[in-house]
Amino acid sequence: MHPNTKQLIQQIQWNDFPGGYGSSTEEVPPILESLCDMEEEDEVLSLLYGELLSNLRQGYIVFDILNPVIQVFDSLCKESFSHPAALLDFLAYVYTLDIRSAVPLLTMPVRYSFGRKEEEPDPGFASFKTFFKQHFYKTTDETLITSDVYYTAVLFPAAEEISRTFNIIISNSNNRIVVKTAIISAALINYLTEQKQQLPEEIIQLFNADETLTAFIALFNGISGFPVEQEQLQELLDMEEDVEAQWAQAFIIIVATDALVIGSLSDDKRFRAVLDGILPLLEEQKAIFDQEDQEMDFPLYPYMAEDLTSIVFRNFLNRGKVLEVSELSDIQRYCLEKLRALKIHTHAMLHAGILPEGITPDNQPTLLPIYNYSI
């Protein structure tokens, strides 16, 4: 199967691309050849994450060998590989740090250490974005999957994409999965580009006609930066998971929380009230997380904590130096005091230059305890 891809694998000068191990240049080609012959999704996932991953990335160090691997994935998609979305999701997992650095909410949290990430993207990240554009980016009314609109938002959050995403919602109004993901995508682009485009009346009417979608109007407004009230999002805050909205690992409560926080940023009084409502919920999720004997696959608490602190301390991310409390606004200081009282610290706080109490850059231990593991 996939003869052109197998020929490409044999033609690549693998020794020119170091990987995670000294033997990676010898191990990766036969792994990719095996991938060419796989038809079952479970087998594909097992090979990608079980055999290939550690050759490409260790911790958050991405190796040069990923460049030719993306070439192979590109060739597979051109030869109609059975599970192209699995390849896309795998590459997104490899590039978690680059994606989260660019889009610090509604993407998978990363384990930042204190200070900044190197400004240069990891090897192959531009090739990964090109791979997405060539094989998944839709400019017509072709059949869409949720990853199309999700990755458009986190990889190419340009203002002109908002109108295109609105058109996707209208054209796919009978596809609830696409509609829900697309409305969140458009809202996120609004937040990232600060364009604050209003939701078209046609979409408002569409969502109001279905009571299970009505709360997504407020969700769009909140993430876009327009004020929203908790009552407008309470249904989503009570839901925890919404398997149709496959965003933030399907925890719709995270999306609703972000909407409440972002929609309150311009009004300190409103913002404080939102924090007072959200922090007890965060504390409750922390208690559940702390009771777990081992890390859950997709724990709700770290996602909530990372997004909350990424939003609150967003203007200090990636500075690479200690953040003095005197630099914070009154509402940021209020949030920090509450977090410290709850003994909550996040990787986003480290990224912003906020170290746990009692720790300075001079006495910083090799491992800092965050959640129930260390970095």
Side-chain angles (χ1 to χ4, degrees):
M1 297 175 65
H2 307 101
N4 293 338
T5 302
K6 287 184 177 179
Q7 185 177 11
L8 172 64
I9 293 169
Q10 294 169 1
Q11 292 173 344
I12 292 171
Q13 299 299 312
W14 292 98
N15 287 332
D16 294 339
F17 303 96
Y21 306 104
S23 58
S24 290
T25 55
E26 298 174 1
E27 293 178 4
V28 167
I31 291 174
L32 294 174
E33 288 181 359
S34 297
L35 180 64
C36 293
D37 295 326
M38 290 183 173
E39 297 183 5
E40 299 298 326
E41 186 175 18
D42 288 348
E43 293 180 344
V44 170
L45 295 175
S46 177
L47 183 142
L48 291 175
Y49 293 92
E51 298 183 39
L52 187 60
L53 179 61
S54 61
N55 289 286
L56 311 183
R57 190 193 82 181
Q58 293 180 6
Y60 285 95
I61 300 175
V62 177
F63 299 100
D64 291 341
I65 200 170
L66 197 52
N67 280 290
V69 169
I70 295 174
Q71 293 178 39
V72 173
F73 285 5
D74 174 66
S75 179
L76 279 172
C77 289
K78 289 176 180 175
E79 290 193 283
S80 301
F81 183 65
S82 299
H83 304 287
L87 303 181
L88 174 65
D89 290 340
F90 173 73
L91 290 176
Y93 181 80
V94 172
Y95 288 115
T96 298
L97 187 56
D98 288 291
I99 294 173
R100 183 79 184 189
S101 293
V103 186
L105 67 153
L106 297 182
T107 57
M108 186 180 291
V110 297
R111 301 182 185 185
Y112 286 117
S113 57
F114 176 70
R116 73 171 70 197
K117 175 189 179 293
E118 293 297 325
E119 293 186 0
E120 288 295 320
D122 287 315
F125 187 57
S127 298
F128 162 52
K129 295 175 75 171
T130 300
F131 172 76
F132 169 78
K133 265 288 179 77
Q134 289 181 344
H135 297 290
F136 298 92
Y137 182 83
K138 300 294 193 300
T139 57
T140 66
D141 289 338
E142 300 172 72
T143 301
L144 284 159
I145 58 176
T146 54
S147 61
D148 296 339
V149 282
Y150 171 84
Y151 289 115
T152 295
V154 300
L155 296 176
F156 303 98
E160 57 267 24
E161 289 296 337
I162 301 177
S163 296
R164 196 178 76 89
T165 306
F166 288 157
N167 291 334
I168 287 172
I169 293 171
I170 295 168
S171 301
N172 294 270
S173 59
N174 60 343
N175 188 329
R176 294 174 58 85
I177 298 175
V178 169
V179 165
K180 286 184 176 183
T181 303
I183 195 72
I184 301 170
S185 298
L188 181 63
I189 296 172
N190 251 351
Y191 173 72
L192 295 171
T193 61
E194 299 183 345
Q195 294 295 309
K196 290 194 174 185
Q197 293 188 37
Q198 297 275 2
L199 201 59
E201 185 61 33
E202 184 176 356
I203 294 179
I204 293 175
Q205 292 177 3
L206 173 69
F207 279 50
N208 276 330
D210 183 342
E211 62 180 16
T212 66
L213 292 176
T214 302
F216 283 80
I217 299 173
L219 187 150
F220 171 85
N221 288 334
I223 292 180
S224 296
F226 302 113
V228 293
E229 302 295 342
Q230 182 167 334
E231 292 75 14
Q232 297 174 288
L233 291 170
Q234 193 61 52
E235 176 188 351
L236 300 179
L237 288 168
D238 292 339
M239 191 176 295
E240 288 207 0
E241 293 189 37
D242 182 345
V243 293
E244 288 184 337
Q246 295 176 352
W247 197 290
Q249 305 303 336
F251 291 122
I252 197 66
I253 188 174
I254 299 168
V255 187
T257 296
D258 289 356
L260 278 170
V261 174
I262 295 168
S264 303
L265 289 175
S266 60
D267 184 334
D268 280 3
K269 184 177 179 181
R270 180 191 296 269
F271 192 10
R272 185 180 293 241
V274 166
L275 287 175
D276 287 342
I278 288 175
L279 287 171
L281 180 59
L282 185 62
E283 182 182 20
E284 176 185 320
Q285 292 299 325
K286 179 178 185 293
I288 295 172
F289 181 81
D290 289 342
Q291 291 170 5
E292 293 293 320
D293 294 332
Q294 58 186 359
E295 289 184 49
M296 296 174 279
D297 287 339
F298 302 115
L300 178 54
Y301 162 61
Y303 280 83
M304 289 184 65
E306 293 295 338
D307 272 19
L308 175 64
T309 51
S310 290
I311 295 167
V312 173
F313 304 109
R314 68 200 184 286
N315 52 320
F316 297 106
L317 296 176
N318 207 33
R319 290 198 321 164
K321 63 180 183 179
V322 174
L323 175 61
E324 302 293 342
V325 175
S326 60
E327 300 178 70
L328 298 173
S329 67
D330 289 343
I331 194 65
Q332 287 173 323
R333 193 177 300 116
Y334 176 77
C335 183
L336 180 59
E337 290 171 356
K338 292 288 187 180
L339 291 170
R340 285 179 168 168
L342 297 174
K343 300 189 183 326
I344 291 175
H345 205 90
T346 71
H347 296 286
M349 293 166 71
L350 292 178
H351 196 40
I354 303 173
L355 285 163
E357 287 189 295
I359 295 177
T360 69
D362 295 331
N363 71 2
Q364 182 183 178
T366 303
L367 296 176
L368 280 169
I370 301 292
Y371 310 120
N372 60 0
Y373 52 81
S374 296
I375 58 170

